[in-house]
Amino acid sequence: GSITIGGDSDVAFDIDTSTLDIDSSGAITIDGTSTVSIDGGGATNLTTSAGAITIDSTAGVSIDGGAASNLTTSAGALTLDGAAGVNIAGNAAEIDITTSAALDLNSGAFTLNGSTVGIDGTGALTLGASEMDIDADGGVINMDATSTITIGGTNATGENIGKSDTTVTIPGSLDVNGTLTTIDTTNLKV
């Protein structure tokens, strides 16, 4: 049958021992109407050989480590899902995202906001979008390469440089290669 160890609901129940081993073939339930604390003077392990580990709270859940901490999975994906978003803050240090496979950022909107944003890679960098707007907010946009810079490429149906009320300046030589060159202007000064 069962063994019940209990007392009055208003009386504290303490177990003080060098080693406490609880082994059960069924469920183990710790239920308290107040705070439940698990405090280990050394390493504390929460493991299961089968099934999931679930931490469920009607309020927030905090995991705080005094040193570098790991949240890893040996198989399957690691998912962070927040109903109101996911915030990752690196405070005084940097945030590193390192992967040997592809890194996919999929969202309705994507914003990079920083005093300096650097994108560096040893391979090709491809930016694909139905529409792309690059705005420096009064600063300078500088495109530089050790080889040729191509605007348009193989898929463009036309390129517009500048707008009607601005001046486009080409400080170097200009080569125009094509079957037709059209200049539509009121005044032409050479």
Side-chain angles (χ1 to χ4, degrees):
S2 62
I3 298 175
T4 301
I5 302 174
D8 294 337
S9 60
D10 295 334
V11 177
F13 181 65
D14 293 329
I15 299 175
D16 190 0
T17 180
S18 61
T19 301
L20 176 63
D21 185 4
I22 301 175
D23 189 0
S24 173
S25 60
I28 298 175
T29 301
I30 301 175
D31 189 3
T33 58
S34 185
T35 302
V36 177
S37 297
I38 299 174
D39 187 2
T44 302
N45 297 322
L46 183 61
T47 61
T48 177
S49 59
I53 296 177
T54 301
I55 301 175
D56 191 1
S57 173
T58 57
V61 176
S62 297
I63 300 174
D64 189 1
S69 304
N70 296 321
L71 185 60
T72 61
T73 176
S74 60
L78 177 65
T79 301
L80 298 176
D81 189 1
V86 176
N87 296 324
I88 300 175
N91 293 339
E94 64 182 9
I95 296 175
D96 292 329
I97 299 176
T98 304
T99 176
S100 59
L103 173 63
D104 292 330
L105 298 175
N106 299 313
S107 65
F110 176 63
T111 301
L112 289 176
N113 188 3
S115 58
T116 301
V117 176
I119 300 175
D120 188 9
T122 57
L125 173 64
T126 301
L127 300 175
S130 60
E131 183 175 341
M132 185 177 297
D133 184 11
I134 301 174
D135 191 352
D137 288 336
V140 176
I141 298 175
N142 183 21
M143 292 188 297
D144 193 7
T146 56
S147 59
T148 302
I149 297 175
T150 300
I151 300 175
T154 57
N155 296 321
T157 58
E159 291 86 32
N160 292 326
I161 300 175
K163 60 179 185 173
S164 59
D165 59 345
T166 60
T167 301
V168 176
T169 301
I170 301 174
S173 300
L174 174 64
D175 291 334
V176 179
N177 299 314
T179 56
L180 176 64
T181 300
T182 300
I183 299 176
D184 186 0
T185 181
T186 302
N187 298 296
L188 176 63
K189 180 179 180 181
V190 178

